[in-house]
Amino acid sequence: MTNKPLQILLTGIGINLTIGILYVWGVFTVPLAEALNVDVADVVSPYKISVFTFATCLLIAGILQDKIGPRKVAMFGISLVGLGLIASGYTTTLAELKFTFGGIVGAGMGFVYACISPSTMKWWPKDKKGLVSGLTAGGFALAAVYLAPLSTSLIASYGIYDTFKILGAGILSIIPLASMLIDPPADYSADPSEVQAATSSDDINLSWQQMLKTPQFYQLWVMFMVSSAAGIMLIGSVGSISKSIGLTPDQIAFGVVLLAIFNTGGRVVGGLISDKIGRVNTLALIFMLQAGNMAFFTTITTQMPLMVAIAIGAMSYGALFGVFPTITADNYGLKNYGTNFGILYSAWGVSGFFGGFLAIVTGSTNNTYFAFSALLVAVTVIVFFTEPVDKAAVLAKEVNKFKTVKA
């Protein structure tokens, strides 16, 4: 294998390392609440909007990158993230912040993230795709390891608004890196030594229309939505939970760094394990770990248990992003991966709102944790009824249907 796959992989990781601003929102919550003169709980709204915008634009970007390649789409996305952060530095109301961070920054992250995984996986053989997916997704989460302490230091020295401007300018400076992100040539083979039959299932690519006709898509969508909602609830509430039990800003920043480390580790380990024991078995392990951790959250009143819960929750949440991209590629192929995974990723976009709805219905934080625990057990059951997609059978069914209509 040439060094081109490694170059593309490192490029993707490097780009994701710069745009993972979403995972340090816990550092911004208290300073923003003070600057905007609003309650800390209200500051979560730009974060939730950015999650939805991220997922929506990931679908749009997935369609675009399938058609024109990842380079231009990624460069456009990086521009949006940088400019959106700079604009956030001039906001004076929560509504403005919802637009600049929730809308512009969220959109930019979606455009960039949509390009990284498909372009890198296309350069690597099938038995490495889980690991590659985990490494690139891990870069996005690992960003918080340096962004959390950096942001804390900048906020202390310059304030929250100038911090947004500085971070935005820094992100704009890496636009040239995105120019290195390209798809392999049409005649490229990730594993030349592996001779496959022309009709091999691995060579078959399904369109998004064909994907939506498979029951596996809807099973995966529900699993992704519930498990993501549990993880997003944890990440979005780290700041407020930490403050409620009396942690200092430095302790809160440590919690965010811990979250980033285990979130990153989960993505790499999740992808690696799924290459070894299978995607479905890995998902079952993740969901059960999440279910137990949600119940554990109801007992937390001090720093150490919170740090343990953050570590477990972040690792299991991160593992989702090492598995769901690869199971999408396995089931539906890589040719239309950007579009197909973009549609599946809508589950992640909806998950933030689902978590908020569940919190309203249950009436209390502890009840929400218990409800999530029960739902995660339920999706674990769904996992064992989820079979691999027989792509050849899907195509054959469509051909037979066409012949019947024509006759």
Side-chain angles (χ1 to χ4, degrees):
M1 183 175 289
T2 67
N3 64 352
K4 193 65 175 180
L6 181 60
Q7 177 187 322
I8 298 297
L9 175 61
L10 293 177
T11 298
I13 294 173
I15 293 172
N16 272 349
L17 273 170
T18 65
I19 65 163
I21 198 76
L22 193 65
Y23 290 116
V24 296
W25 188 255
V27 173
F28 300 146
T29 53
V30 175
L32 279 172
E34 294 172 352
L36 296 172
N37 195 28
V38 297
D39 189 86
V40 173
D42 294 330
V43 184
V44 75
S45 55
Y47 170 82
K48 288 183 177 180
I49 292 172
S50 71
V51 168
F52 178 78
T53 310
F54 184 124
T56 302
C57 290
L58 188 142
L59 170 57
I60 297 171
I63 296 171
L64 285 175
Q65 78 92 29
D66 281 344
K67 294 182 179 297
I68 66 174
R71 178 188 292 163
K72 293 179 181 178
V73 180
M75 292 174 72
F76 175 67
I78 292 171
S79 300
L80 287 181
V81 176
L83 294 174
L85 281 171
I86 293 172
S88 296
Y90 292 97
T91 57
T92 56
T93 66
L94 188 60
E96 291 173 351
L97 188 64
K98 289 178 181 178
F99 175 73
T100 58
F101 190 94
I104 301 175
V105 175
M109 288 187 292
F111 272 91
V112 180
Y113 198 81
C115 300
I116 305 300
S117 185
S119 60
T120 52
M121 282 199 294
K122 288 174 182 177
W123 287 94
W124 293 82
K126 183 178 180 180
D127 63 349
K128 295 291 190 298
K129 292 191 189 303
L131 176 60
V132 169
S133 175
L135 286 169
T136 53
F140 188 74
L142 189 62
V145 171
Y146 75 91
L147 282 175
L150 174 62
S151 298
T152 300
S153 176
L154 289 173
I155 290 169
S157 300
Y158 303 104
I160 183 64
Y161 289 130
D162 283 343
T163 296
F164 278 146
K165 296 172 189 175
I166 293 169
L167 293 175
I171 288 173
L172 289 176
S173 70
I174 61 98
I175 290 177
L177 184 62
S179 65
M180 300 172 63
L181 203 63
I182 58 174
D183 283 337
D187 59 349
Y188 176 79
S189 175
D191 190 357
S193 64
E194 184 178 274
V195 180
Q196 295 180 325
T199 57
S200 168
S201 181
D202 290 339
D203 294 330
I204 299 173
N205 296 280
L206 301 184
S207 67
W208 67 268
Q209 296 97 330
Q210 293 165 333
M211 178 182 71
L212 293 180
K213 294 177 181 179
T214 65
Q216 289 91 336
F217 168 78
Y218 300 97
Q219 293 169 325
L220 291 172
W221 195 95
V222 170
M223 290 187 283
F224 199 9
M225 190 271 290
V226 172
S227 55
S228 294
I232 287 172
M233 178 183 178
L234 182 153
I235 293 170
S237 60
V238 165
S240 57
I241 294 174
S242 299
K243 185 180 181 182
S244 70
I245 63 175
L247 299 192
T248 66
D250 286 340
Q251 289 173 324
I252 294 174
F254 173 76
V256 174
V257 171
L258 190 70
L259 186 152
I261 292 172
F262 280 87
N263 190 354
T264 302
R267 292 168 189 238
V268 178
V269 172
L272 185 61
I273 291 176
S274 74
D275 282 338
K276 302 297 183 183
I277 69 172
R279 320 300 184 200
V280 168
N281 291 334
T282 305
L283 286 176
L285 290 175
I286 294 169
F287 297 157
M288 290 309 298
L289 190 60
Q290 283 186 299
N293 195 48
M294 281 292 162
F296 179 55
F297 250 97
T298 64
T299 68
I300 295 173
T301 56
T302 57
Q303 181 185 5
M304 186 55 67
L306 176 61
M307 296 301 135
V308 172
I310 287 175
I312 296 172
M315 175 166 278
S316 54
Y317 174 71
L320 300 174
F321 298 91
V323 181
F324 276 106
T326 48
I327 199 171
T328 303
D330 290 347
N331 281 342
Y332 305 109
L334 279 170
K335 181 180 179 181
N336 304 306
Y337 172 85
T339 303
N340 291 341
F341 187 63
I343 295 173
L344 179 64
Y345 211 79
S346 66
W348 186 81
V350 172
S351 63
F353 295 96
F354 175 76
F357 171 76
L358 192 63
I360 294 172
V361 171
T362 56
S364 72
T365 301
N366 280 355
N367 285 345
T368 304
Y369 288 136
F370 283 125
F372 265 123
S373 185
L375 287 171
L376 286 161
V377 172
V379 295
T380 304
V381 175
I382 296 176
V383 167
F384 294 108
F385 290 93
T386 305
E387 298 179 352
V389 173
D390 187 339
K391 292 180 282 187
V394 172
L395 291 182
K397 184 177 180 180
E398 288 206 349
V399 170
N400 290 335
K401 183 178 180 180
F402 174 76
K403 289 180 177 178
T404 302
V405 172
K406 189 176 181 180

